[in-house]
Amino acid sequence: MADAPRYRFAPSPTGMFHVGGARTALHNWALARQSGGTFVLRIEDTDEARNRPEWTQGIIDALEWIGISADDPHFEGPLFQSEYADAHLEAAQQLFEGGHAYYCDMTSEQIQERAKAEGTTGYGGWSRDRGLGPGAGHVLRFRVPEGVTVVRDQVRGDVEFDNGVIEDFVLVRGNGTPVFILANVVDDRSMGITNVVRAEEHLPNTPKQQMIWQALGHEPPVWAHVPVLVNDQRKKLSKRRDKVALEQYREEGYLPAAMINYLMTLGWSPGEEEIQPWSVMEQSFRLDDVNLSPAYFDLKKLAAFNGEYIRRLSVDELVEACDPWLPAEWDRAVFREMAPHIQPRLVTLGDAPGVVDFLFSDDPEVDEASWDKTMSTEYAGPLLADAIAAYEGSDWTADALKTTLEVVMTRYELKLGKAQAPVRVAVTGRTVGPPLFEALEVMGRDESLRRMRNALERIG
């Protein structure tokens, strides 16, 4: 029986977790679990400026949030690239001794000058036969063979690369440190990685990595390059321009299940219904079904997914999920009463406090633009006075409160939307909010009438 496949996710600890990386991690996680394989977390930490324990922990926490748990038997790691530094240099020496690599002492300025003189661009392999050895400032270059390199890709099929346009690339810098391409190959080989699933931006490096694999006497892993994520201008998502940090969405109150579901639909479809639980997507995900086109990271669609997931929560689940965003002093019992009425309107959990804050203050914070627009009408004062009088004897249920106001508004020949506006602004301080009559019921008769009387007094 063949060994179980080993997939890997290899982020750099950069201080934020990119949504594109999250999607790639989910792809690897699904494939590892459905095949009984292993998901290897490798931290590419050789850049000392990016090597901070809290950033590594941030990666682990972000993965945990999207359901990739270090406690799962399919999870292995974190493994650290820095711990394989000796293996990187041993592989470089093996390539040099095997004639697959050679040393070059040419500076970038010398290369540019010679290329310009010969009417070419880039490095022309000029040190191939000079017989140089290691030395200060000498880089180790891979000797690219003639012919064609065919990358067999599970998403893109066979992709051919003309070796003639790939210059002899650097394996080890002049200061003796290995470059990413070499370290990546050696890490995968050392960790027994059988499948590499990553974003298509890495595809141009793949023929070089495949050459290194073969020069070291090993079969390369199974490659798969999924489409990149782009913004509404169809440009690749950039942390300098776009909202790409997974942590930011978590802090704003996106549900992990919604984020997981949405990320999995980018470049792949789970079926006729896009809203699917992870258990279904994990088993149905296939690289063969991944679309080749760049995937649009649509913020509005993500918000719609999140709203749908919020609506599917039970009231108890919603209250528990919203709790981290609610001020500690707020009465959770009052919030629970209001929760089912705001649930259909929430886009994120972080929206909840701003929708119900009027319930927990001594007086509503009045939006002056809403006040001026609503209370300046000729009917606002008289209607509010009539509503107060009618509500003093009304049953205090949402249905009764609505019926009572409908009776009052007939005197003013108003529709319900216009009639309830003065009451809403009086009680909540604004024209937009949760269902008015349910809010009045939760607030209670005494407090609701007190606010309405205060508003009437202000109108004069």
Side-chain angles (χ1 to χ4, degrees):
M1 180 179 176
D3 293 336
R6 290 174 62 82
Y7 294 83
R8 53 86 160 165
F9 178 61
S12 297
T14 59
M16 52 80 73
F17 197 86
H18 197 289
V19 290
R23 184 192 59 162
T24 300
L26 287 170
H27 288 167
N28 281 280
W29 186 239
L31 293 165
R33 284 175 57 85
Q34 70 181 225
S35 63
T38 301
F39 173 99
V40 178
L41 172 61
R42 179 171 76 232
I43 306 298
E44 301 201 329
D45 62 338
T46 51
D47 183 346
E48 291 185 5
R50 295 180 173 183
N51 187 11
R52 297 186 187 178
E54 62 268 28
W55 288 351
T56 296
Q57 188 59 48
I59 292 171
I60 295 171
D61 292 344
L63 290 173
E64 181 81 34
W65 189 68
I66 56 172
I68 302 176
S69 173
D71 296 329
D72 190 284
H74 295 276
F75 188 102
E76 182 180 313
L79 306 180
F80 294 90
Q81 187 174 66
S82 57
E83 296 176 359
Y84 292 81
D86 290 344
H88 301 157
L89 296 178
E90 288 171 6
Q93 183 63 24
Q94 181 182 338
L95 291 169
F96 174 65
E97 292 176 355
H100 298 289
Y102 61 91
Y103 284 96
C104 173
D105 63 356
M106 296 182 68
T107 65
S108 58
E109 291 78 13
Q110 290 172 331
I111 291 171
Q112 291 175 13
E113 288 176 7
R114 183 155 180 180
K116 183 178 180 180
E118 296 185 4
T120 60
T121 58
Y123 173 72
W126 298 300
S127 294
R128 274 190 168 207
D129 302 316
R130 292 173 60 201
L132 295 175
H138 292 197
V139 301
L140 183 67
R141 291 183 177 274
F142 188 84
R143 191 187 299 272
V144 176
E146 295 180 354
V148 172
T149 297
V150 178
V151 172
R152 289 186 163 79
D153 191 292
Q154 283 191 293
V155 173
R156 298 168 189 281
D158 287 356
V159 185
E160 290 191 1
F161 294 86
D162 180 2
N163 293 358
V165 298
I166 301 175
E167 66 180 44
D168 290 352
F169 51 92
V170 174
L171 298 170
V172 180
R173 302 179 185 90
N175 63 5
T177 60
V179 301
F180 165 81
I181 289 176
L182 175 63
N184 203 258
V185 169
V186 175
D187 291 344
D188 285 344
R189 186 188 66 171
S190 301
M191 298 172 191
I193 302 303
T194 61
N195 296 72
V196 172
V197 181
R198 56 190 181 182
E200 67 176 307
E201 63 198 62
H202 297 287
L203 185 59
N205 284 331
T206 307
K208 300 176 184 179
Q209 291 176 319
Q210 186 160 301
M211 291 176 197
I212 296 173
W213 273 93
Q214 292 166 341
L216 290 171
H218 295 275
E219 282 296 313
V222 178
W223 307 107
H225 292 86
V226 297
V228 296
L229 302 186
V230 296
N231 62 16
D232 55 355
Q233 298 175 335
R234 296 307 187 264
K235 295 179 180 178
K236 179 186 167 187
L237 288 186
S238 165
K239 64 182 180 182
R240 286 178 290 275
R241 181 185 59 235
D242 303 304
K243 183 177 166 183
V244 299
L246 190 72
E247 295 90 342
Q248 185 175 353
Y249 292 98
R250 180 177 62 190
E251 290 166 4
E252 290 178 0
Y254 282 80
L255 292 168
M259 179 61 76
I260 292 166
N261 193 163
Y262 180 64
L263 288 174
M264 286 295 288
T265 67
L266 298 176
W268 174 77
S269 173
E272 292 184 7
E273 297 293 331
E274 285 192 309
I275 303 291
Q276 294 282 0
W278 170 253
S279 58
V280 171
M281 293 186 292
E282 176 185 285
Q283 292 304 315
S284 60
F285 178 69
R286 298 291 184 273
L287 288 168
D288 292 345
D289 298 330
V290 171
N291 196 312
L292 296 181
S293 302
Y296 171 34
F297 189 77
D298 186 342
L299 294 174
K300 291 182 179 179
K301 190 169 183 180
L302 171 60
F305 266 63
N306 203 60
E308 177 63 27
Y309 269 87
I310 286 176
R311 289 189 288 277
R312 294 187 181 198
L313 296 176
S314 69
V315 175
D316 287 340
E317 288 171 336
L318 177 61
V319 172
E320 181 181 0
C322 287
D323 190 75
W325 283 267
L326 305 180
E329 64 272 18
W330 283 12
D331 187 331
R332 295 311 192 261
V334 173
F335 179 75
R336 192 187 187 288
E337 284 188 70
M338 200 67 212
H341 306 304
I342 68 171
Q343 187 170 15
R345 298 159 184 249
L346 293 181
V347 175
T348 70
L349 301 175
D351 293 338
V355 178
V356 300
D357 56 355
F358 66 90
L359 286 169
F360 301 96
S361 57
D362 292 336
D363 287 292
E365 182 178 340
V366 177
D367 175 66
E368 294 301 331
S370 296
W371 178 275
D372 292 342
K373 178 180 178 181
T374 303
M375 300 308 199
S376 62
T377 60
E378 60 182 16
Y379 61 82
L383 183 144
L384 199 55
D386 287 349
I388 291 170
Y391 278 158
E392 286 176 337
S394 170
D395 289 340
W396 209 259
T397 65
D399 288 343
L401 293 166
K402 178 183 178 184
T403 300
T404 299
L405 187 62
E406 286 174 334
V407 172
V408 169
M409 73 187 192
T410 58
R411 306 169 199 167
Y412 300 90
E413 297 182 350
L414 296 173
K415 292 185 177 180
L416 184 59
K418 292 278 190 181
Q420 67 179 351
V423 178
R424 181 185 293 280
V425 173
V427 173
T428 71
R430 49 190 180 252
T431 54
V432 178
L436 173 62
F437 304 108
E438 285 77 1
L440 293 174
E441 180 179 345
V442 172
M443 180 170 285
R445 183 193 306 271
D446 291 345
E447 179 62 16
S448 297
L449 290 176
R450 183 186 73 82
R451 294 188 180 193
M452 291 168 68
R453 291 188 185 105
N454 287 346
L456 184 60
E457 184 177 339
R458 178 178 171 181
I459 292 173

